[in-house]
Amino acid sequence: AVLLVQFAILWMTKGRVAYSAVWCTGFFNNPWVPYLTTFTGIAFWLGISRILETVWRQGNLLDVIGKNTFSIMMHHVTGFLVLNSIFLGIMYASAGTFLSDFDRNMYLVSYEYRYLPLGMEFGKWLYLFFGIGVSFLIRKMEQRVLAYIKIRKHDKV
């Protein structure tokens, strides 16, 4: 049913479902199209996740990521910043011999700056790894602090 609705949206908009919902600009169709396509897209992926839920066993990587999505969404940019800081450190430590094309100014002014060493697409995987990895570390630290506070509260009572 969800796919039928999405096909109907594509047919009614003549295949032009281009919009930028993030910045609320570029609505080439009616303003309701982004909401409808978002709703049906979420419904589609929820259906896929229900199917995958029966296939995947508990405790694997996808399960861990699924249970920590809030932390990942909150802290992934911090992971990107950590990786960019490592790149900057390598550039300074090598006196500009390595990673000389790293843009220090963009690093300082834009949180969206991503550097791909030697233009390699593999660099995108590094950002993914650091975004998720740093988010997990922050979540673990948070859990330890909360556990410590809970123990201290219990000791005082």
Side-chain angles (χ1 to χ4, degrees):
V2 171
L3 288 176
L4 290 175
V5 172
Q6 289 181 334
F7 284 129
I9 293 169
L10 286 173
W11 178 72
M12 290 184 318
T13 60
K14 297 176 180 69
R16 293 175 292 158
V17 187
Y19 62 89
S20 176
V22 175
W23 306 113
C24 296
T25 60
F27 296 107
F28 300 114
N29 309 306
N30 294 323
W32 57 268
V33 171
Y35 298 107
L36 190 56
T37 56
T38 300
F39 177 77
T40 56
I42 291 169
F44 173 77
W45 286 111
L46 280 173
I48 295 293
S49 67
R50 285 191 183 118
I51 293 168
L52 290 177
E53 182 181 33
T54 61
V55 177
W56 296 99
R57 67 185 193 292
Q58 295 256 340
N60 66 10
L61 181 61
L62 289 178
D63 190 46
V64 172
I65 290 173
K67 290 181 177 174
N68 291 288
T69 53
F70 181 77
S71 179
I72 292 169
M73 292 304 296
M74 289 299 295
H75 305 297
H76 69 280
V77 176
T78 305
F80 300 163
L81 179 63
V82 168
L83 182 58
N84 278 342
S85 299
I86 291 170
F87 287 148
L88 182 68
I90 292 170
M91 186 185 78
Y92 279 144
S94 69
T97 318
F98 293 110
L99 309 180
S100 60
D101 56 337
F102 182 84
D103 191 342
R104 181 184 163 275
N105 291 330
M106 283 301 293
Y107 166 80
L108 293 173
V109 300
S110 175
Y111 73 92
E112 294 178 339
Y113 176 63
R114 304 293 177 263
Y115 173 69
L116 302 178
L118 304 173
M120 294 186 302
E121 291 294 312
F122 175 73
K124 293 178 181 177
W125 288 98
L126 290 173
Y127 282 99
L128 178 69
F129 173 75
F130 272 82
I132 293 173
V134 169
S135 298
F136 282 154
L137 288 175
I138 291 172
R139 176 70 178 137
K140 288 295 179 189
M141 288 188 301
E142 175 191 15
Q143 288 172 335
R144 287 187 179 196
V145 167
L146 291 174
Y148 177 77
I149 291 170
K150 186 176 180 180
I151 290 170
R152 297 293 294 172
K153 256 182 164 176
H154 181 67
D155 288 346
K156 289 183 179 181
V157 175

